[in-house]
Amino acid sequence: MTVHRFTSKPYMVVIALATLVLLLPLVLPSAFYLRIAALVFINALAVIGLNLLMGFAGQVSLGHAGFFGIGAYAVTLGPAYLGLPVWASLIGGAVFSALLAFIVGQPILKLRGYYLAVATLGLGLLISMVFTNEADITGGPNGMEVPRLVVFGWRAYGSQTWYWISGVSLVIGAWIAVNLITSPTGRAFRAIHDSETAARVLGIDVPRYKLLVFVMSAVYAAIAGSYFSLFDGFVTPDTTGFIRSIEFVVMAVLGGLGSILGSITGAAILVILPQVLTVFHEYEHIMLGLIMIVFMIFLPGGIVPSLAQRFRRRTA
Amino acid sequence: MNALLTIENLGIAFGGLKALEGINLNVARGDIFAIIGPNGAGKTTLFNLVSGLYPPKSGRITLDGEDVTGLPPHQLARRGLSRTFQNLQIFFRMSVVENVMVGRHLHENRNVFAHLFGLPSVGRQNRTTHESALELLSIVGLADAAERPAGALSYGALKRLEVARALATEPKILLLDEPAAGCNPVETEEIDAVIKKIAARGVTVVLVEHDMRLVMKISNRIHVLDQGRTLAEGNADAVRSNPAVVAAYLGVKGKTELGLAVR
Ligand SMILES: Nc1ncnc2c1ncn2[C@@H]1O[C@H](COP(=O)(O)OP(=O)(O)OP(=O)(O)O)[C@@H](O)[C@H]1O
Ligand SMILES: [Mg+2]
């Protein structure tokens, strides 16, 4: 029973997700829905990374759209200026994000709470500013066309293709996240969240583990960002902006911090809801805001953890 | 002299307050060494310095022959020093057994790549860690609570959980900050037994405790602090009959605390 805890239960989420990705195309009526699903998957990938940082290690970031943006621009700048293939640029974007997170993370992860929030916010704004202001290279606010991803001579485009690319990537991303949180490294992250003092005294090199989770979450965001712009075929500085950083945080919190399933749920709600709410025309944003408030009041631990807790109480 | 922990001329100040000044002490291998003193004497501060949470303003700390002054806590843990906290530092989002499992960190394979890809070695590692954590929980009498959320435990049980968690690092020397505080007489007896078990495993124990009966009974050396300075050091009898110690306690808490100890 206790042994199973390390093997089966958390992996149920991955298996359920894989099944969902496999079966969803059978019920989705058109390419439009596949497109929405792909957007959910791409956002969820970034949010899972952010959740590792925020939900497990307890370190906030209000600048993750910066890393998302680096990924998004890497796949257009790499081919355009360095003559790199798109796939290599995607990897390059992830590596660059990791390096940036590694360098910037050392000083800013010493900060806590609000101070870390403001520092990461600054980092996100700074990255976004670079993409906006370096108009000669990035096209500035007008944005840039993004080339197609080509793998072994096969050109990836269209909703269906991106559904599968993003869906499979999300399953892999979730699997890696679950591996991590059920490992000694994951226990170190969670220990830091609850008591840094106790973690240090027990031999955990806290700065090192904070840096590790920050770098990992930056890589998740960068890969998601690359997918996002490759899927869209166009990239603008909005992709990297402050609003998107906030959206990621809202997805993570609304779905439930510390829950992988929560990250996916949060992403799904925040991508799908605005589509549904368009029927309310000018009241769309008011409705969205209201729904978010209601969710947080009635499911304060985030959707998935709160519902799970209620379910357990009822069955217990 | 076979001192495991040596403290020389240790001092720290918070603003104008000299919380500790000119502290010298030697803890021998195998000791159960008690540090006592009235509230605010600087006992916890001494632990915070020795465990690396605060950098000392002056002085030197030597652990097992190595100068460890100013080393961060995780480096000290590697060298065999662990501690518990007066104000609990529990991982409240974890189960009881997971709290102890974190304490195994230094003895686990910490290869992040194996962790990322969930290699079979990680599962084996988790099981080994889980088993040793359960063993430690049974030493402190919490084996039955292993799978409960840490937050469901009573205060006294959480104190013992911290002891098990600190033991998980396999320390040479363990600092216990008021392990019996908030415990009922039965739980205090249990703590007493736990400390003896720990000492029997060859772990040197440094104990801060207000329960004088416990202190006098189990420690073989007692160091008395008052307002950041050393008041006395010796065995139970010497400390009990020291007029300065009696005066310090009379000044603060009246006869009761020391009176208990005399019995
Ligand atoms: N981080 C800190 N900042 C400022 N003052 C501190 C700090 N830590 C301790 N002090 C002060 O140092 C003095 C000694 O405190 P300490 O907690 O070490 O006492 P103690 O002997 O453990 O007392 P108690 O028996 O109440 O636990 C107190 O006056 C306390 O207010
Ligand atoms: Mg104290």
Side-chain angles (χ1 to χ4, degrees):
Chain A
M1 177 61 211
T2 47
V3 173
H4 281 180
R5 231 157 32 86
F6 306 120
T7 48
S8 61
K9 199 179 139 208
Y11 287 101
M12 286 303 291
V13 174
V14 182
I15 293 166
L17 181 64
T19 315
L20 181 82
V21 170
L22 276 175
L23 297 184
L24 210 51
L26 300 179
V27 294
L28 292 182
S30 71
F32 173 76
Y33 290 92
L34 285 179
R35 190 183 151 77
I36 303 282
L39 279 175
V40 170
F41 295 161
I42 291 168
N43 277 282
L45 193 61
V47 178
I48 286 178
L50 187 61
N51 194 4
L52 287 175
L53 179 71
M54 289 180 61
F56 291 95
Q59 310 299 309
V60 67
S61 170
L62 297 184
H64 256 51
F67 299 119
F68 190 81
I70 288 172
Y73 274 94
V75 289
T76 164
L77 297 178
Y81 296 99
L82 304 173
L84 289 171
V86 174
W87 63 265
S89 308
L90 189 153
I91 295 169
V95 171
F96 186 84
S97 280
L99 277 176
L100 185 68
F102 181 78
I103 293 164
V104 180
Q106 307 201 29
I108 71 174
L109 289 168
K110 289 192 183 124
L111 305 170
R112 290 177 203 196
Y114 302 129
Y115 305 97
L116 178 60
V118 171
T120 49
L121 182 102
L123 173 65
L125 289 177
L126 212 72
I127 296 171
S128 164
M129 207 79 89
V130 169
F131 288 124
T132 313
N133 291 354
E134 296 301 313
D136 294 345
I137 303 170
T138 65
N142 296 330
M144 277 179 99
E145 193 114 14
V146 180
R148 296 267 180 236
L149 174 65
V150 181
V151 188
F152 301 124
W154 171 74
R155 286 157 55 86
Y157 68 96
S159 299
Q160 192 161 8
T161 308
W162 276 99
Y163 175 90
W164 290 114
I165 294 176
S166 59
V168 170
S169 301
L170 177 61
V171 172
I172 295 172
W175 176 70
I176 287 178
V178 169
N179 286 341
L180 202 65
I181 59 183
T182 51
S183 74
T185 300
R187 274 196 292 281
F189 291 162
R190 292 165 60 210
I192 291 169
H193 192 177
D194 281 357
S195 169
E196 262 186 52
T197 305
R200 293 166 74 196
V201 165
L202 296 172
I204 293 170
D205 186 346
V206 171
R208 181 171 168 270
Y209 279 92
K210 281 189 184 175
L211 198 57
L212 181 66
V213 72
F214 191 60
V215 167
M216 281 175 185
S217 69
V219 170
Y220 270 88
I223 293 173
S226 291
Y227 284 1
F228 185 79
S229 67
L230 285 168
F231 176 45
D232 207 36
F234 204 80
V235 58
T236 67
D238 281 348
T239 311
T240 85
F242 171 63
I243 298 290
R244 187 174 297 278
S245 285
I246 297 302
E247 270 176 12
F248 287 152
V249 174
V250 171
M251 289 172 183
V253 174
L254 195 70
L257 287 175
S259 159
I260 299 295
L261 191 60
S263 297
I264 299 161
T265 310
I269 288 179
L270 238 69
V271 170
I272 295 169
L273 214 50
Q275 304 285 338
V276 177
L277 293 178
T278 48
V279 296
F280 292 102
H281 302 293
E282 64 263 45
Y283 299 113
E284 181 193 329
H285 288 101
I286 296 177
M287 290 301 292
L288 186 63
L290 274 177
I291 290 173
M292 276 160 51
I293 292 171
V294 169
F295 266 126
M296 288 325 291
I297 290 173
F298 290 101
L299 302 169
I303 295 168
V304 172
S306 295
L307 287 180
Q309 201 183 1
R310 278 185 198 196
F311 184 72
R312 267 200 302 273
R313 229 178 272 153
R314 199 158 299 169
T315 52
Chain B
M1 166 114 231
N2 191 18
L4 181 54
L5 177 71
T6 304
I7 290 170
E8 294 162 272
N9 190 32
L10 198 67
I12 190 172
F14 300 110
L17 176 79
K18 284 178 180 161
L20 285 176
E21 204 185 1
I23 306 297
N24 292 289
L25 59 82
N26 283 298
V27 179
R29 227 173 280 273
D31 262 356
I32 298 182
F33 189 104
I35 296 170
I36 64 168
N39 292 110
K43 306 178 294 292
T44 298
T45 303
L46 182 62
F47 273 13
N48 287 342
L49 290 175
V50 172
S51 60
L53 289 175
Y54 297 166
K57 193 187 76 178
S58 64
R60 212 158 81 106
I61 303 169
T62 314
L63 179 65
D64 210 0
E66 185 190 359
D67 183 354
V68 295
T69 320
L71 280 189
H74 71 272
Q75 297 276 7
L76 287 161
R78 263 168 221 237
R79 287 163 174 77
L81 182 139
S82 193
R83 69 171 286 186
T84 67
F85 296 89
Q86 180 180 0
N87 310 316
L88 296 168
Q89 295 284 341
I90 297 288
F91 305 128
F92 276 113
R93 289 179 187 80
M94 297 186 191
S95 68
V96 170
V97 70
E98 281 178 315
N99 267 268
V100 183
M101 288 172 76
V102 175
R104 296 296 299 158
H105 181 77
L106 288 173
H107 303 281
E108 291 182 308
N109 182 341
R110 298 191 294 281
N111 178 350
V112 176
F113 286 96
H115 297 171
L116 280 176
F117 299 108
L119 301 186
S121 63
V122 184
R124 284 198 297 275
Q125 174 70 75
N126 277 336
R127 280 188 286 274
T128 326
T129 303
H130 189 253
E131 271 162 34
S132 37
L134 283 181
E135 253 175 67
L136 290 159
L137 280 174
S138 64
I139 292 181
V140 300
L142 287 173
D144 291 341
E147 300 303 330
R148 295 173 68 191
L153 295 191
S154 71
Y155 188 77
L158 289 174
K159 286 262 164 190
R160 280 179 285 145
L161 175 56
E162 282 213 351
V163 174
R165 190 180 65 181
L167 272 184
T169 66
E170 295 178 21
K172 288 184 218 156
I173 182 164
L174 178 58
L175 317 182
L176 301 174
D177 199 347
E178 303 203 13
C183 291
N184 60 38
V186 180
E187 287 177 322
T188 305
E189 282 299 314
E190 285 169 2
I191 289 280
D192 178 354
V194 167
I195 295 173
K196 281 185 189 140
K197 266 192 249 176
I198 295 169
R201 293 177 138 221
V203 179
T204 302
V205 175
V206 183
L207 172 72
V208 165
E209 187 49 66
H210 278 297
D211 186 325
M212 283 304 144
R213 204 140 51 139
L214 181 64
V215 168
M216 297 290 171
K217 197 166 126 199
I218 66 172
S219 45
N220 53 352
R221 230 179 149 65
I222 301 171
H223 189 103
V224 189
L225 291 179
D226 185 28
Q227 298 183 19
R229 291 171 162 278
T230 298
L231 206 58
E233 193 189 303
N235 61 20
D237 288 331
V239 165
R240 228 183 327 229
S241 55
N242 184 313
V245 176
V246 175
Y249 270 92
L250 283 176
V252 188
K253 282 200 163 177
K255 270 184 182 143
T256 46
E257 204 174 347
L258 207 65
L260 261 178
V262 179
R263 244 183 287 152

